[in-house]
Amino acid sequence: MAEQNLENQENLGKEVLRMTNIHKCFDTLVVLQDINLTVHHGEVVSIIGPSGSGKSTLLRCATFLERIDGGEIEYLSKTAAKTENNGKVSYANKQEMKEIKKYFGLVFQQFNLFPHQSVLQNVMGAPVHVLKRDKKEVEEEARILLQKMGLADKADAYPCNLSGGQQQRVAIARALAMKPEVLFFDEPTSALDPELTIEVLKIIRQLAEEKMTMVIVTHEMSFARAVSNRVIFMDGGVIVEEGDPEDVFGDPQQERTKQFLKSYKD
Amino acid sequence: MTFATMLQTMGSGMLKTILLFVLTLLGSIPLGMIVVFLKKSKFKPIAWLTDIYIAIMRGTPLMLQLLVWYFGPYYIFGWSIRGYKFPALLIGFIMNYAAYFAEIYRSGIDSMPVGQYEAAEILGYGKIQTFFRIILPQVIKRILPSVTNEVITLVKDTSLASALAYAEVFSLAKQISASQTSFLPFIVAGVFYFVANYVVAWIMKGIEKSMQYYK
Ligand SMILES: Nc1ncnc2c1ncn2[C@@H]1O[C@H](COP(=O)(O)OP(=O)(O)O)[C@@H](O)[C@H]1O
Ligand SMILES: [Mg+2]
């Protein structure tokens, strides 16, 4: 981890992700329109907005779980997807995509841990089997990560014996074990009770202090305000407002933003 | 015929039944997996042919299938079928059970939540790795009860080999009973099938237990 942080410091401010003019529809339903999102090294970006506004779809497009219908996606200046002159979107070839996929991780709302694997196996699996790294070295790192997550004593437990909060922290450790350049979170605490939410938010906050680059979709407004460098408010598939959290939360300019934030105050 | 010689004769039939049973499982369990892959093939004609194969295997009596596999080569091609009885039985049983296992595997695979595939994809697992490391182990646990049912049915279905007068337990029981005018061979056969299924159930329960460490 220490090594990674140093690297992050050097890269601080460099562009990790650039999404340009992203369009996405499901059949006739337009879900994302003209979305532009750039994320720099060390930045924490929060995305807020009502349910159905396209937040998950945006993350799923960024992580290639969904194909975009228009626009461009770049990771560290490498083009992953772009719109050709004929209007069709083309993705980089398999080998390039494999490399680009190493740049990001994704933490799901429903954790999606592998239930048949122990906590340690969940965390070690991808570095060992995908990156083909040395097992001993990976285990050492995995144990350090678990300790950081407050789960040192759960290494041999199975997901079904953990609380939701613990499961989500394992999922974060599993993502971090791949040393991604940027980590996406899709409502990481929405499936959790309030007490368990706190422990997960604490971990994310800690990562933010370590300058981990993160894009977080969340409904935890005070958390978003406290940890992010930038907040994006989405509604109806477009970015309605975006800026410094103090500005967006303290003095929203758009009517829709005001209404949305008001619904959270009541 | 003394009870001892009768048991001895039937013993040879039991070995044949067990051989047929074991070889059928060894063939049909992996073949069923291949059938699922063919059924899920993106090349449609292969997927359709596989569907037709499964439909025939499940829609016609196994006994009839055995007769077709055995006599087919003679009636269709005029080939000699001397010494072909056991291979014909094996082909018939394996092809039939592979279709049933394929359906069990398919339902197990389809029941897997999409989140497992997505988590694996994000972590960079390839398609084959995802299947063997993430999906298959969980599918095995899910389908084990159905597989147990199928295996127990197979123990009893081996008696259909008597349709080709193959000298397994059931055929022998019928023969000896007729020649000795005795009911005893049927009792012996019944006890044999019952004990065999008991052993199968016990083994399957053991496998199920070994997978109970997670939900
Ligand atoms: N796979 C899909 N097929 C069809 N429509 C979808 C699919 N996924 C999402 N949608 C639709 O896209 C819109 C945005 O969904 P989503 O990105 O999940 O919103 P959010 O995460 O902001 O709640 C919704 O109207 C939703 O119904
Ligand atoms: Mg969502």
Side-chain angles (χ1 to χ4, degrees):
Chain A
M1 286 310 289
E3 211 176 293
Q4 197 187 357
N5 283 344
L6 269 183
E7 208 177 298
N8 281 351
Q9 307 266 317
E10 277 170 27
N11 289 328
L12 221 61
K14 236 168 102 181
E15 238 175 64
V16 181
L17 166 68
R18 175 189 282 268
M19 297 177 87
T20 323
N21 294 329
I22 302 297
H23 280 259
K24 172 71 189 172
C25 39
F26 291 110
D27 295 324
T28 56
L29 178 72
V30 179
V31 179
L32 297 177
Q33 280 181 78
D34 247 328
I35 299 275
N36 291 289
L37 171 65
T38 305
V39 182
H40 298 89
H41 251 291
E43 215 182 2
V44 178
V45 178
S46 289
I47 303 176
I48 59 171
S51 149
S53 57
K55 306 179 300 293
S56 294
T57 305
L58 179 58
L59 291 198
R60 292 173 61 83
C61 287
T63 53
F64 313 130
L65 290 177
E66 299 285 355
R67 282 183 77 92
I68 55 173
D69 298 309
E72 190 167 343
I73 303 176
E74 267 176 40
Y75 278 93
L76 295 162
S77 306
K78 285 184 196 158
T79 304
K82 67 165 188 275
T83 308
E84 306 286 356
N85 290 334
N86 61 9
K88 286 224 162 40
V89 173
S90 69
Y91 279 76
N93 67 41
K94 217 172 153 184
Q95 200 52 43
E96 289 171 320
M97 287 304 274
K98 212 172 148 187
E99 284 306 307
I100 291 172
K101 279 182 177 181
K102 289 181 189 161
Y103 294 146
F104 59 76
L106 172 61
V107 174
F108 299 85
Q109 183 177 344
Q110 298 297 339
F111 330 134
N112 291 343
L113 291 178
F114 304 132
H116 61 301
Q117 297 181 344
S118 71
V119 165
L120 193 62
Q121 288 169 329
N122 263 280
V123 178
M124 288 177 60
V128 170
H129 300 302
V130 175
L131 301 180
K132 314 280 183 206
R133 290 184 50 208
D134 178 63
K135 215 170 165 176
K136 257 214 180 110
E137 206 181 284
V138 171
E139 180 173 341
E140 239 166 69
E141 286 178 13
R143 289 194 187 276
I144 292 172
L145 270 173
L146 288 174
Q147 192 165 26
K148 222 175 119 180
M149 301 291 133
L151 295 167
D153 56 330
K154 298 291 183 194
D156 298 319
Y158 283 83
C160 61
N161 295 319
L162 301 182
S163 73
Q166 290 170 328
Q167 289 189 49
Q168 192 59 299
R169 284 182 282 152
V170 174
I172 295 173
R174 179 175 72 173
L176 288 173
M178 292 297 274
K179 303 185 181 173
E181 299 287 334
V182 51
L183 192 48
F184 297 97
F185 293 82
D186 191 0
E187 302 198 27
T189 61
S190 290
L192 303 177
D193 296 335
E195 327 85 82
L196 302 181
T197 295
I198 292 170
E199 61 188 40
V200 171
L201 294 185
K202 217 176 85 190
I203 294 288
I204 301 176
R205 188 186 291 256
Q206 191 184 327
L207 291 173
E209 280 160 10
E210 292 169 12
K211 294 286 173 237
M212 178 77 209
T213 315
M214 294 185 283
V215 178
I216 309 166
V217 171
T218 183
H219 290 298
E220 300 289 332
M221 296 304 154
S222 50
F223 169 78
R225 186 170 184 164
V227 303
S228 5
N229 306 103
R230 188 148 49 97
V231 175
I232 292 172
F233 170 65
M234 278 181 73
D235 193 10
V238 297
I239 294 180
V240 174
E241 189 162 354
E242 152 171 34
D244 186 273
E246 287 314 311
D247 295 338
V248 175
F249 286 110
D251 182 23
Q253 301 298 305
Q254 303 292 325
E255 197 51 43
R256 277 197 278 176
T257 320
K258 285 178 197 169
Q259 271 179 8
F260 173 74
L261 289 175
K262 197 161 156 272
S263 72
Y264 271 85
K265 286 201 181 98
D266 300 338
Chain B
M1 192 185 238
T2 64
F3 185 61
T5 45
M6 187 201 82
L7 270 189
Q8 209 172 9
T9 315
M10 289 193 68
S12 76
M14 291 175 195
L15 286 180
K16 285 192 164 121
T17 295
I18 292 170
L19 188 68
L20 183 59
F21 169 79
V22 169
L23 292 181
T24 297
L25 283 187
L26 286 181
S28 58
I29 285 179
L31 183 62
M33 195 55 82
I34 294 170
V35 172
V36 173
F37 287 132
L38 294 179
K39 189 182 160 82
K40 289 189 176 281
S41 165
K42 290 211 175 71
F43 185 60
K44 286 297 157 201
I46 288 193
W48 290 331
L49 282 176
T50 312
D51 279 340
I52 293 171
Y53 152 72
I54 292 176
I56 293 174
M57 290 296 117
R58 304 211 309 168
T60 61
L62 175 52
M63 194 187 280
L64 182 70
Q65 291 168 25
L66 293 176
L67 292 170
V68 169
W69 284 113
Y70 184 45
F71 294 111
Y74 172 73
Y75 285 114
I76 300 170
F77 306 110
W79 293 349
S80 158
I81 52 173
R82 251 162 184 276
Y84 169 63
K85 193 181 282 180
F86 189 63
L89 279 172
L90 265 188
I91 294 172
F93 272 98
I94 289 175
M95 293 300 276
N96 181 274
Y97 270 78
Y100 281 96
F101 281 127
E103 282 301 281
I104 292 175
Y105 299 159
R106 188 196 51 76
S107 72
I109 291 170
D110 288 353
S111 78
M112 286 296 296
V114 65
Q116 292 289 301
Y117 289 95
E118 292 185 344
E121 190 179 336
I122 293 286
L123 288 166
Y125 286 95
K127 279 211 158 62
I128 294 172
Q129 275 187 327
T130 301
F131 183 75
F132 285 103
R133 292 193 184 280
I134 310 297
I135 304 300
L136 187 60
Q138 298 183 59
V139 167
I140 290 174
K141 181 182 166 96
R142 282 169 189 236
I143 64 173
L144 224 44
S146 319
V147 169
T148 302
N149 279 337
E150 212 48 44
V151 173
I152 284 175
T153 306
L154 173 60
V155 171
K156 293 178 282 186
D157 271 358
T158 53
S159 62
L160 293 174
S162 64
L164 303 191
Y166 180 65
E168 42 68 65
V169 177
F170 186 74
S171 295
L172 287 181
K174 251 183 8 186
Q175 262 175 39
I176 299 172
S177 168
S179 65
Q180 305 289 316
T181 53
S182 159
F183 187 61
L184 205 54
F186 290 135
I187 308 268
V188 171
V191 169
F192 167 76
Y193 285 117
F194 187 85
V195 170
N197 270 329
Y198 191 86
V199 171
V200 165
W202 183 77
I203 291 173
M204 295 306 284
K205 188 143 251 150
I207 299 176
E208 270 176 51
K209 268 218 177 97
S210 74
M211 292 187 184
Q212 263 166 13
Y213 63 90
Y214 75 91
K215 280 195 205 73

